[in-house]
């Protein structure tokens, strides 16, 4: 009985330290990380370290992971052969995180320019 109580305290302490030392991953971040893992395993030379999977938000702007939840689900649902043959590996390597809520400006030299906010990359068909 004493051993179980001690183990429970150690387990609870471990979780407390993990959550106290950093923000827990959000589902959108976890999905992106899982897609990157699949791509690294399937796509020769895929550099997952170049992709940003963090989500952050404050009063003025929100930054989203490079691979959205929908795109992540698609990547995880494809075979390695499909990812390579349909160009997903290449498109995913080029995906970048994007930020909304930031005033995007147009160069003065471009007439009738309408600033637009970026959106998620279309990685998976």
């Amino acid at each position: 009985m004493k051993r179980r109580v001690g183990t429970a305290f150690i387990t609870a302490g471990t979780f407390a330290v993990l959550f106290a030392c950093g923000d827990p991953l959000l589902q959108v971040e976890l999905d992106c990380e899982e897609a990157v893992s699949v791509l690294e395993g399937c796509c020769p030379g895929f550099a997952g370290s170049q992709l940003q999977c963090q989500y952050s938000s404050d009063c003025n702007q929100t930054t989203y992971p490079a691979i959205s939840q929908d795109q992540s689900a698609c990547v995880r649902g494809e075979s390695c052969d499909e990812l390579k043959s349909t160009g997903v590996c290449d498109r995913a390597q080029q995906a970048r995180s994007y930020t909304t809520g930031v005033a995007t400006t147009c160069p003065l030299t471009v007439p009738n320019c309408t600033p637009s906010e970026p959106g998620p990359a279309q990685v998976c068909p």
Side-chain angles (χ1 to χ4, degrees):
M1 180 71 166
K2 278 187 175 182
R3 186 176 186 115
R4 286 187 195 170
V5 172
T7 304
F9 280 120
I10 291 171
T11 303
T14 301
F15 280 110
V17 168
L18 285 173
F19 286 109
C21 292
D23 294 332
L25 283 177
L26 298 174
Q27 190 63 48
V28 66
E29 294 170 316
L30 183 59
D31 289 347
C32 177
E33 293 287 351
E34 288 175 353
V36 168
S37 179
V38 168
L39 292 163
E40 286 176 329
C42 289
C43 305
F46 190 85
S49 61
Q50 293 180 359
L51 282 132
Q52 177 67 260
C53 283
Q54 289 180 318
Y55 171 91
S56 64
S57 185
D58 63 25
C59 294
N60 299 317
Q61 64 187 27
T62 301
T63 301
Y64 296 91
I67 301 177
S68 71
Q69 284 183 288
D70 290 342
Q71 294 296 301
S72 296
C74 178
V75 167
R76 293 189 318 267
E78 300 287 315
S79 70
C80 287
D81 288 339
E82 289 171 321
L83 292 173
K84 290 185 270 189
S85 69
T86 58
V88 172
C89 294
D90 296 329
R91 287 191 300 277
Q93 189 65 78
Q94 301 304 314
R96 297 294 176 254
S97 61
Y98 64 97
T99 303
T100 60
V102 177
T104 332
T105 59
C106 293
L108 295 175
T109 57
V110 179
N112 302 322
C113 177
T114 305
S116 62
E117 292 186 341
Q122 182 68 30
V123 171
C124 198

